[in-house]
Amino acid sequence: MAGYEYSREEITIDARAHGWDIFKPDWDYLQSFPALSLCSLVGLSVGLSPWFTRPDWVFRCAKPYFDGKRDPDFDEAVTEQDSAKAEALGLFLKRIHIAVGNLAPAGSLNSISGIPQGEATFVNVAEFLAFAGRLGWELPEEFRRFDAEHDLNYSAHEAKTPLETNGKTTKTNQLHVLIWRVFLALKSKGGKPTAQDIWNEIRFRHSEHDVDNIIQEVTADVIEWRSCYGNESILNRGSFDKTLSNLKKNPPF
């Protein structure tokens, strides 16, 4: 069990100070981080602000509050929206148990430090999104966009491969190369291929274009792929249009 710097009472005081508006993450700020604690990531998967994702606090304080167990001297009356929030917190508790149970070496979620610490374990955001995608978890649109942001900003050792350009070796994201290759192939047949046209081509005929064999699986909602270095990642359909737009502005080759 991970140690905590703040008590449940302090978190409850903060929740009351914010009017129990605990489902309000700062998405723009959080997408800047390549790794977050597992409880923060699972919290974001249901739209919960990371500060309020301590599991025992959610179980003993937050969920009972939204279930209607309140102090009339301090808390407002129950509203119609509270049942949905209680349901989201129940989903958070289920998902955190699943996520912790899938930490390496038993599962596919790797600790950044190499030492798993339960829900306090820091995990790569892209890796968590790939994990959530494999389980079919529904995620807030704002969280799914993290995949596109990190996909456009991979470091040289993450899912990139050398590419010769005018005699110079550069680093290029392999999935971007594949997307661009498909775009050019469809464009050469005439017309202006849409993002959906390109997605369908990758989904149903990726073997005709995937010379690096990076594609693992493609559905209507997600592309799962593995780089030449063995790094697994996903690209969500909701992020695909933005990725294609950026590639048109800055082609990989």
Side-chain angles (χ1 to χ4, degrees), residues 42-219:
V42 174
L44 291 175
S45 80
V46 300
L48 186 61
S49 298
W51 169 245
F52 300 107
T53 58
R54 177 171 158 177
D56 65 329
W57 179 79
V58 170
F59 177 74
R60 296 180 181 277
C61 303
K63 192 171 186 305
Y65 173 85
F66 286 104
D67 278 332
K69 298 177 182 177
R70 304 186 176 185
D71 187 335
D73 294 330
F74 293 95
D75 303 316
E76 297 180 358
V78 178
T79 66
E80 295 181 359
Q81 292 77 27
D82 289 335
S83 60
K85 293 177 180 178
E87 184 177 347
L89 292 172
L91 181 59
F92 164 80
L93 292 171
K94 290 180 180 178
R95 287 183 175 182
I96 193 65
H97 287 148
I98 293 171
V100 170
N102 278 273
L103 285 169
S108 60
L109 291 173
N110 296 291
S111 167
I112 293 297
S113 68
I115 303 174
Q117 296 179 300
E119 65 266 16
T121 304
F122 270 71
V123 172
N124 180 272
V125 173
E127 185 173 295
F128 177 83
L129 288 170
F131 166 77
R134 288 193 295 272
L135 293 184
W137 287 1
E138 291 187 9
L139 304 175
E141 175 63 26
E142 297 89 344
F143 194 25
R144 288 192 284 120
R145 288 175 185 161
F146 280 30
D147 180 64
E149 295 300 323
H150 290 293
D151 187 52
L152 292 170
N153 292 285
Y154 270 116
S155 61
H157 68 279
E158 289 180 310
K160 294 189 176 181
T161 186
L163 179 73
E164 286 291 331
T165 306
N166 297 326
K168 297 182 180 179
T169 300
T170 60
K171 293 288 187 177
T172 303
N173 182 292
Q174 287 180 281
L175 183 58
H176 289 178
V177 171
L178 174 59
I179 293 170
W180 193 247
R181 185 182 297 125
V182 172
F183 168 75
L184 294 178
L186 293 180
K187 187 178 180 181
S188 68
K189 296 179 181 179
K192 297 180 179 180
T194 65
Q196 189 61 52
D197 292 334
I198 298 168
W199 184 278
N200 290 339
E201 184 73 11
I202 295 174
R203 180 182 180 187
F204 298 112
R205 289 173 289 277
H206 60 80
S207 60
E208 299 177 17
H209 309 278
D210 184 16
V211 297
D212 296 316
N213 294 316
I214 63 171
I215 296 298
Q216 301 300 301
E217 183 178 1
V218 185
T219 69

Side-chain angles (χ1 to χ4, degrees), residues 23-44:
F23 289 90
K24 200 173 183 179
D26 187 341
W27 298 107
D28 290 338
Y29 170 72
L30 291 167
Q31 73 178 9
S32 302
F33 295 89
L36 291 167
S37 68
L38 193 56
C39 60
S40 294
L41 290 166
V42 174
L44 291 175

